[in-house]
Amino acid sequence: GAVVSQHPSRVICKSGTSVKIECRSLDFQATTMFWYRQFPKQSLMLMATSNEGSKATYEQGVEKDKFLINHASLTLSTLTVTSAHPEDSSFYICSARVQGSYEQYFGPGTRLTVT
Amino acid sequence: GQNIDQPTEMTATEGAIVQINCTYQTSGFNGLFWYQQHAGEAPTFLSYNVLDGLEEKGRFSSFLSRSKGYSYLLLKELQMKDSASYLCAVRNQGGKLIFGQGTELSVKP
């Protein structure tokens, strides 16, 4: 089956610093990647949709200057949390979709803790 | 607006059958998904319905009624490892997955 990886799986950073999270599709080319955020005991909230080679589309209420998304290739998308604050602490999950397919393949998630 | 409702918590006994309901109101409909998520892990795909009716896959079945905006996930022969959160998600007209809050299922011996 299709595999999506994320790196790192866990990261702790200090308030005010930036953190980059990578999402890779390992055995397929993902025309579209999605970034979600999940707070404890809550469901996944879509943050943004990125298509390879174009700018990401952000959901309402998500600051595009704070959450920088780059989808440079068909197998890699990155999410950079800039000037992180404790309230950014969350579980960040990416997913990838092949054009024309109904299914999204989820990465294992990245647990971000901002101290 | 877009709204997906499912019960917050359910409890069932090992070996039993449990049905988790999901109702939705979304801007367009392009399929309904059920995912299983264990604590601290990413969701794993369980089922996909785009047409009305029942889809069966082993111990898990999923039903969809588009006219009623309703789906359920049926789990048979429950095992302890089935204790997890079950997420209902609808793909809307824009192709985005909209998730419900999830149903925390506890399976007891």
Side-chain angles (χ1 to χ4, degrees):
Chain A
V3 179
V4 176
S5 70
Q6 276 184 246
H7 178 79
S9 57
R10 291 176 181 271
V11 58
I12 300 172
C13 70
K14 292 186 177 179
S15 188
T17 61
S18 295
V19 173
K20 180 186 282 189
I21 302 170
E22 291 186 350
C23 176
R24 293 182 184 272
S25 55
L26 298 185
D27 50 2
F28 67 101
Q29 292 186 326
T31 49
T32 305
M33 287 185 169
F34 303 87
W35 287 96
Y36 296 85
R37 181 166 52 182
Q38 186 176 35
F39 292 106
K41 295 199 179 293
Q42 295 186 25
S43 194
L44 281 74
M45 296 299 294
L46 180 65
M47 298 176 67
T49 302
S50 73
N51 293 295
E52 185 265 339
S54 62
K55 289 184 178 180
T57 304
Y58 290 81
E59 294 301 298
Q60 194 171 8
V62 178
E63 300 174 59
K64 62 181 180 181
D65 294 331
K66 180 171 180 62
F67 298 99
L68 302 178
I69 291 172
N70 185 286
H71 193 161
S73 75
L74 285 171
T75 59
L76 173 65
S77 176
T78 61
L79 167 68
T80 302
V81 183
T82 63
S83 187
H85 291 288
E87 56 264 33
D88 297 325
S89 298
S90 187
F91 193 47
Y92 291 85
I93 305 173
C94 73
S95 70
R97 189 174 78 198
V98 176
Q99 190 172 15
S101 170
Y102 67 82
E103 192 169 347
Q104 286 187 25
Y105 304 96
F106 284 86
T110 296
R111 174 75 59 194
L112 170 63
T113 303
V114 184
T115 61
Chain B
Q2 304 189 102
N3 196 44
I4 298 179
D5 285 320
Q6 47 181 134
T8 306
E9 298 176 326
M10 297 185 73
T11 302
T13 306
E14 191 176 15
I17 300 173
V18 70
Q19 177 174 311
I20 304 174
N21 296 323
C22 171
T23 57
Y24 64 89
Q25 288 179 306
T26 57
S27 54
F29 177 85
N30 278 313
L32 186 142
F33 297 77
W34 283 95
Y35 289 88
Q36 180 192 62
Q37 186 180 27
H38 286 99
E41 298 179 13
T44 55
F45 171 81
L46 291 178
S47 69
Y48 170 70
N49 295 70
V50 66
L51 300 175
D52 290 351
L54 187 68
E55 293 281 342
E56 297 185 82
K57 190 187 289 187
R59 293 190 299 117
F60 293 7
S61 303
S62 57
F63 172 83
L64 174 67
S65 168
R66 288 173 296 171
S67 63
K68 296 182 180 178
Y70 168 70
S71 172
Y72 67 73
L73 179 70
L74 194 71
L75 293 78
K76 303 175 185 176
E77 301 169 17
L78 280 173
Q79 302 175 8
M80 298 299 289
K81 67 177 182 179
D82 296 330
S83 293
S85 184
Y86 290 85
L87 308 176
C88 173
V90 173
R91 173 168 291 151
N92 68 6
Q93 198 164 17
K96 298 175 185 176
L97 272 185
I98 310 299
F99 282 86
Q101 65 182 40
T103 299
E104 193 70 36
L105 174 66
S106 297
V107 180
K108 302 198 181 299

